[in-house]
Amino acid sequence: MRAHIDHRDLAAGGIFTLIGLAFVAGTYRSLSIGEAARMGPGYFPLLLGGLLALLGIAIIGRGLNAAAPAPVEGVTWRGMFLIGVAPLVFAVTIVPLGLVPALAITTLIAALSSREVGLVRAAAITAVIVGFCVLVFSYGLGLPIPLFPSLPGGGA
């Protein structure tokens, strides 16, 4: 069986590798890394950037050894637009609305970027992600981000 090249995997792997290496370089130059026992502010971003670069390399390898060539399809503009807008919406809404509403709106936008995800499934994804993030960031890590600052008392 002859191996084929999957250009989609090559492109995705290349993008992941470049973004991961950019995070590694930026973190290494600007933040203190520390060590495993005493992690500095750059330890986790360096680790994630390195893992993303390794994932990209693995995807490139898979793309070079594809069983059959995958057809290159058209760009899904809806998905690209909504995924691009979602972080901007989060940045604009986190302060005035709080963590829970900002996450809910952002996750709903991102979930609806796929034509295969309906409103009910998007709502379920949103509920799970918001719940997980509240547990991890608010209660687990104790980050001082109000959950609902527009409500009396703010709730954090």
Side-chain angles (χ1 to χ4, degrees):
M1 181 162 88
R2 190 172 145 241
H4 298 279
I5 295 176
D6 186 340
H7 295 285
R8 292 183 308 172
D9 279 350
L10 290 181
I15 291 169
F16 285 175
T17 302
L18 289 175
I19 291 172
L21 291 176
F23 268 94
V24 166
T27 300
Y28 192 74
R29 284 193 343 230
S30 62
L31 295 173
S32 171
I33 306 303
E35 51 195 49
R38 283 188 78 125
M39 297 179 197
Y43 192 88
F44 194 62
L46 182 73
L47 183 67
L48 287 180
L51 289 174
L52 185 60
L54 289 174
L55 176 64
I57 291 168
I59 292 172
I60 289 171
R62 189 176 102 180
L64 292 173
N65 293 314
V72 177
E73 299 169 3
V75 175
T76 55
W77 294 107
R78 170 185 166 167
M80 292 206 28
F81 175 76
L82 291 176
I83 293 295
V85 165
L88 300 174
V89 169
F90 182 79
V92 170
T93 60
I94 185 72
V95 172
L97 300 180
L99 183 65
V100 171
L103 276 172
I105 293 167
T106 303
T107 305
L108 194 59
I109 290 170
L112 292 173
S113 67
S114 172
R115 294 190 189 279
E116 298 172 10
V117 176
L119 196 55
V120 172
R121 190 169 175 197
I125 292 168
T126 299
V128 169
I129 289 179
V130 169
F132 175 78
C133 289
V134 167
L135 287 174
V136 169
F137 296 113
S138 187
Y139 297 110
L141 296 174
L143 295 181
I145 302 171
L147 298 179
F148 299 97
S150 60
L151 295 178

